Amino acid sequence: MNNEPILEIQNVYFTYKRQPVLDEINLALYREDFLALIGPNGGGKTTLVKLILGLLKPSRGNIFLFGKRPESVRSSVGYVPQKSTERYRDFPINVHEVVRMGCLKAHIFKKKESSPTHSIEGALESVSMSSYMHRQIGELSGGQLQRVLIARALVSNPALLIMDEPTASIDTEMEKGLYDILKDLNKKIPIIIVTHDLTAISENVNKIGCLNRYLYCHRSGEVTEEDILKTYNCPIELLAHGLPHKVLKKH
Amino acid sequence: MIDLLTYEFIQHAILAAILVSIACGIIGTYVVINRIVFISGGIAHIAFGGLGAAYYLGFNPLIGASSISLLSALGLGWMDCQGNEREDTIIGILWALGMAIGSIFISLSPGYAPDLMSYLFGSILTVSSQDLSFMLAWDLIILFFVTFFFKQFQAISYDREYARTRGIPVHALYTILLLLIAITVVMLIQVMGALLLIALITIPVTIANIFSQSIRKIMVCSFFISLVFTLSGLWLSYFFNLPSGAAIVVVAGGSYMILKGVRLKIN
């Protein structure tokens, strides 16, 4: 297996309006990795994702994505944003059109992509949503919409998948299905999921980053109570909902 | 009734109704789904300042209105790029300022200003053939951009943040959209007036959205609805000697209320 990291973050600092948001972040992500970024709201998770996507520039330090500057290669990243806006609900658009967005190219004047219809079908297939192709987006449940957004991220055959709060507003059953999909995907590409919900971390995760201005990374997938304490600055009641969670110790 | 059509001003009015409805159907759809009705209203009122200034200086008032509305669209695009969170407050300020400057210039102009009312409330019956050729040109520009950038406009309207991650020049496209709105506003100032034009940008699209669920269909559908409203308003205004812009708004607003009422009753 190729040992070059897919993503390398070297000593990155980010300040916003003179407030330090991220300090001294170091991270290397390899092909087989499934990283969960956890941390409290306002801990800098979304900022880190934007840095990785090249939407923000670090105040100091370097980020290399596939060995290059993120802004030049970000179209090779599949990104699933937080689906927090109400806008998704009443916007006049169907599943096919949403997934097609994933095929858009940065260069507007370039020739059209070869056969998007075929890849759209494939992407929807991989999240078992093919039969919803012509449904309006507003008719979908939270979990179905989430899967459509994953299909949109996958349609361009990304080399890295980043998901922001993938389990927000979907139930445990759906969550299980989602992690099965991700497990399959992880056989081909590395995945980063961002969450503030500690119970959302599945057994497939092999790396956990606790982020609250500083990043503490854990190779094994086991996080001690002490790490949680460092990140959240207070002890947290950890609850499981019937799924196997590596994060949790017996209590 | 038929011999009415032989009048040149009626022919012009009908052509203007068609040309304006094309712009309203297309750009109105983006305004409504992007929820930037307030911005569009702002551009219309700011444009009135330029209209008054041109009137005072003796230019064609519509040239003043177009330059100021295009400029304000550029300014709003720039503001959006800066990530200004108080955008709506600034629009509110410029909204009033535009109207104030426009009326000051018009009151400073020597003599009676008979056109003032028509730029505030519109007059579809006084559209000249030169105006018509401008409208046609504006429509072609709108059609060109929307055909060419359809998917990109759809993406930035639905999910801007995601569009940025695909490398789409979100700010540039948004500014183009604002410029197209400014163009639409200028076309509408003549037919509907600066104060009433927002009705034709919003009402046909809202009604079309009840029956159709895709951007393309909403555009086509609201073109026809807008055309029906303008023509029936025109007819009412001719036969009952009413101000044409107001008649169109009453027809459009009334239809919307009735449809909403019927839908509430059914549900």
Side-chain angles (χ1 to χ4, degrees), chain B residues 184-234:
Chain B
T184 308
V185 161
V186 171
M187 290 171 73
L188 281 170
I189 279 185
Q190 208 165 15
V191 174
M192 302 291 294
L195 297 182
L196 300 179
L197 60 83
I198 206 70
L200 222 46
I201 291 183
T202 52
I203 298 172
V205 177
T206 317
I207 294 175
N209 194 196
I210 297 174
F211 306 109
S212 41
Q213 306 298 330
S214 87
I215 292 181
R216 259 179 252 265
K217 281 185 201 152
I218 293 174
M219 283 175 175
V220 175
C221 197
S222 41
F223 160 71
F224 285 112
I225 295 172
S226 164
L227 189 59
V228 170
F229 287 161
T230 31
L231 291 180
S232 30
L234 178 67

Side-chain angles (χ1 to χ4, degrees), chain A:
Chain A
M1 183 154 283
N2 192 345
N3 252 351
E4 286 288 297
I6 299 267
L7 167 71
E8 213 175 355
I9 301 180
Q10 298 170 342
N11 214 18
V12 160
Y13 288 73
F14 187 80
T15 46
Y16 180 72
K17 291 186 176 165
R18 295 198 192 158
Q19 291 287 320
V21 180
L22 297 172
D23 270 7
E24 219 190 324
I25 306 292
N26 283 289
L27 177 73
L29 193 77
Y30 296 89
R31 202 183 157 77
E32 66 285 357
D33 279 345
F34 191 146
L35 167 75
L37 270 180
I38 60 171
N41 287 325
K45 300 185 301 277
T46 304
T47 306
L48 187 59
V49 168
K50 285 187 174 172
L51 286 165
I52 295 171
L53 287 165
L55 297 176
L56 293 173
K57 284 208 174 15
S59 313
R60 266 170 64 191
N62 288 308
I63 298 178
F64 296 104
L65 196 58
F66 317 117
K68 295 185 181 118
R69 297 274 162 209
E71 56 272 27
S72 63
V73 285
R74 67 175 159 223
S75 54
S76 317
V77 179
Y79 174 57
V80 183
Q82 264 187 59
K83 50 164 202 63
S84 51
T85 42
E86 258 310 290
R87 193 168 232 187
Y88 289 121
R89 291 283 131 198
D90 67 347
F91 197 93
I93 193 166
N94 66 24
V95 169
H96 180 269
E97 289 172 304
V98 170
V99 178
R100 191 181 62 190
M101 249 170 232
C103 308
L104 283 173
K105 295 267 159 51
H107 301 285
I108 301 166
F109 300 100
K110 258 189 189 161
K111 268 273 163 227
K112 283 223 172 81
E113 56 279 353
S114 49
S115 78
T117 314
H118 187 72
S119 30
I120 291 167
E121 276 166 11
L124 282 170
E125 188 83 47
S126 68
V127 293
S128 354
M129 286 291 290
S130 331
S131 52
Y132 292 85
M133 179 95 97
H134 299 291
R135 278 299 176 84
Q136 281 300 117
I137 217 75
E139 298 168 13
L140 304 182
S141 72
Q144 290 170 331
L145 176 56
Q146 190 69 59
R147 281 194 271 167
V148 169
L149 296 183
I150 296 172
R152 178 177 71 171
L154 296 178
V155 73
S156 56
N157 285 319
L160 167 68
L161 182 69
I162 302 180
M163 304 179 72
D164 207 345
E165 302 285 358
T167 53
S169 85
I170 65 173
D171 57 41
T172 317
E173 201 51 44
M174 282 280 188
E175 200 179 307
K176 178 81 173 62
L178 181 67
Y179 279 115
D180 287 341
I181 293 167
L182 293 183
K183 190 179 173 182
D184 266 1
L185 269 171
N186 192 218
K187 288 172 188 156
K188 289 180 285 179
I189 57 171
I191 299 176
I192 301 176
I193 64 167
V194 175
T195 180
H196 68 271
D197 174 15
L198 296 182
T199 62
I201 296 161
S202 83
E203 54 185 329
N204 309 311
V205 168
N206 73 347
K207 238 182 200 180
I208 291 181
C210 301
L211 184 67
N212 191 5
R213 195 167 141 192
Y214 304 99
L215 179 69
Y216 305 98
C217 243
H218 306 279
R219 192 58 249 189
S220 66
E222 294 280 354
V223 177
T224 63
E225 246 164 65
E226 201 184 319
D227 298 318
I228 301 290
L229 235 113
K230 262 202 255 173
T231 310
Y232 285 87
N233 291 323
C234 64
I236 282 189
E237 187 85 19
L238 300 175
L239 290 168
H241 297 295
L243 283 172
H245 293 289
K246 277 189 177 180
V247 196
L248 306 175
K249 299 210 300 181
K250 286 233 162 61
H251 56 278

Side-chain angles (χ1 to χ4, degrees), chain B residues 53-111:
Chain B
Y55 189 86
Y56 176 72
L57 296 169
F59 293 115
N60 179 349
L62 284 177
I63 291 177
S66 345
S67 8
I68 293 299
S69 65
L70 289 171
L71 264 180
S72 62
L74 283 178
L76 290 168
W78 177 78
M79 227 156 68
D80 177 75
C81 196
Q82 302 299 307
N84 196 322
E85 282 155 27
R86 292 274 175 88
E87 204 185 11
D88 60 334
T89 308
I90 296 170
I91 293 166
I93 293 168
L94 294 175
W95 181 304
L97 201 60
M99 291 306 286
I101 291 173
S103 21
I104 286 176
F105 271 119
I106 286 172
S107 74
L108 285 178
S109 309

